[in-house]
Amino acid sequence: MNSSQPHRIVFANEKGGTGKSTTAVHVAIALAYQGARVAAIDLDPRQRTFYRYLENRAETLRRRGVDLPMARFDVYDGTSTDELDHLAESLSAEHDFLLFDTPGRDDPLARHVATTADTLVTPMNDSFVDFDLIGQVDAESFKVKRLSFYAELIWETRKKRAMATIRDQRREMDWVVVRNRTGHVEARNMTRIEQALAELSKRVGFRTSHGLSERVIYRELFPSGLTLLDKGHLGELGTSHLVARQELRSLIAALNLPMPAGAQQPARRIAAG
């Protein structure tokens, strides 16, 4: 992988409460555990959940005197896409992956980075409230009626990127809709959502993957900044925590990210920034 052009992963959903930041943090640390050099930008300067999570992690590592895989991270609190691109370029140097965690609302910077993604990850809860972000369904048949503005934006971007792939040697965009918290969904409703997602994916070309269930452990880990992968630092784990760890591993495999040469080796430690 060319270190000057890291693989861009954008976590984007214009609706909050979908587990977006939690998913982004765990993916970032999972990549670091595999030996990848990871940098990240939080685009929500008000909540800065992603930034605070890794800030807490850095403090825990200092306090405990331990060395665990880490990502370089920053938060962007401006409004200029040019300034954001400059920050992204400066963080890209010598990194294999550049992650963006975007706000859970309509945001021009979030839309901007979404169009630059190599892998676009859209976490959603299994409900038609969340499904409405990407498409609208008929109230009686639950058939997809139309794409949302957001889905049309990504669809047009993917078409342009596909045409430019050979000419400019750009990567094609891989759009993955990640279904979080599926364990609390009634079976009939889950089937309807699965059918609607399958229909819509044929139109706009995204893939679907199961993500992270709603588990208390994710909220418990935030103050320490630790993740489910930090074995030996979490204390005794219950069965549900072990299941959650397997969910995370399955998600990482499903994202099918291009690992750099030398991955799977002990992770290179990256100082927080």
Side-chain angles (χ1 to χ4, degrees):
M1 185 180 299
N2 186 345
S3 61
S4 65
Q5 295 294 327
H7 189 89
R8 289 190 171 208
I9 311 173
V10 178
F11 294 83
N13 188 323
E14 294 181 354
K15 180 183 179 299
T18 61
K20 177 171 52 59
S21 296
T22 299
T23 303
V25 166
H26 276 76
V27 169
I29 298 304
L31 290 172
Y33 258 111
Q34 295 179 70
R37 300 165 300 177
V38 183
I41 301 175
D42 191 332
L43 292 182
D44 191 347
R46 288 188 293 181
Q47 294 193 12
R48 55 178 69 192
T49 304
F50 183 95
Y51 182 89
R52 287 284 298 121
Y53 202 120
L54 289 187
E55 191 175 51
N56 291 344
R57 182 177 181 83
E59 175 57 30
T60 294
L61 301 189
R62 285 192 292 266
R63 185 176 63 253
R64 296 188 182 183
V66 296
D67 186 20
L68 295 174
M70 189 57 169
R72 183 179 180 184
F73 60 100
D74 207 337
V75 62
Y76 180 67
D77 58 2
T79 59
S80 166
T81 55
D82 288 340
E83 290 180 359
L84 174 58
D85 288 342
H86 179 73
L87 174 62
E89 186 66 26
S90 67
L91 287 178
S92 294
E94 298 184 359
H95 287 89
D96 303 302
F97 292 95
L98 178 61
L99 279 67
F100 295 86
D101 186 33
T102 64
R105 60 180 181 274
D106 181 24
D107 179 86
L109 295 179
R111 280 186 262 117
H112 172 68
V113 297
T115 62
T116 71
D118 297 310
T119 299
L120 176 64
V121 181
T122 301
M124 61 169 281
N125 299 321
D126 259 24
S127 76
F128 281 107
V129 174
D130 281 21
F131 185 89
D132 199 63
L133 169 75
I134 53 178
Q136 299 176 16
V137 297
D138 182 85
E140 299 297 332
S141 67
F142 293 95
K143 295 288 187 180
V144 177
K145 295 192 301 182
R146 63 179 64 91
L147 303 181
S148 69
F149 171 80
Y150 185 79
E152 288 183 346
L153 171 69
I154 302 305
W155 170 238
E156 290 300 322
T157 298
R158 293 184 76 245
K159 287 196 297 184
K160 292 178 183 177
R161 285 279 292 274
M163 290 187 291
T165 296
I166 298 177
R167 183 183 69 246
D168 302 331
Q169 296 185 327
R170 293 193 65 184
R171 305 179 180 100
E172 290 191 45
M173 179 191 292
D174 184 19
W175 185 11
V176 187
V177 174
V178 174
R179 299 168 62 191
N180 283 340
R181 303 185 179 121
T182 56
H184 298 283
V185 181
E186 187 264 332
R188 185 174 63 173
N189 192 54
M190 180 181 292
T191 299
R192 287 171 173 169
I193 292 172
E194 287 176 348
Q195 292 172 344
L197 282 170
E199 180 184 349
L200 191 57
S201 68
K202 294 177 183 178
R203 295 194 191 182
V204 294
F206 60 73
R207 301 188 292 117
T208 59
S209 169
H210 285 285
L212 309 179
S213 300
E214 171 64 18
R215 299 183 187 276
V216 175
I217 186 163
Y218 295 117
R219 294 190 292 272
E220 291 177 342
L221 289 173
F222 176 80
S224 67
L226 295 176
T227 72
L228 287 168
L229 298 173
D230 298 317
K231 293 183 292 186
H233 300 274
L234 302 175
E236 185 175 350
L237 298 182
T239 302
S240 65
H241 296 169
L242 297 176
V243 172
R245 181 182 290 163
Q246 184 55 47
E247 289 176 346
L248 174 61
R249 289 172 175 164
S250 297
L251 171 59
I252 298 299
L255 291 179
N256 193 29
L257 298 167
M259 297 305 299
Q264 305 298 337
Q265 300 300 316
R268 175 182 176 180
R269 311 311 186 194
I270 305 173

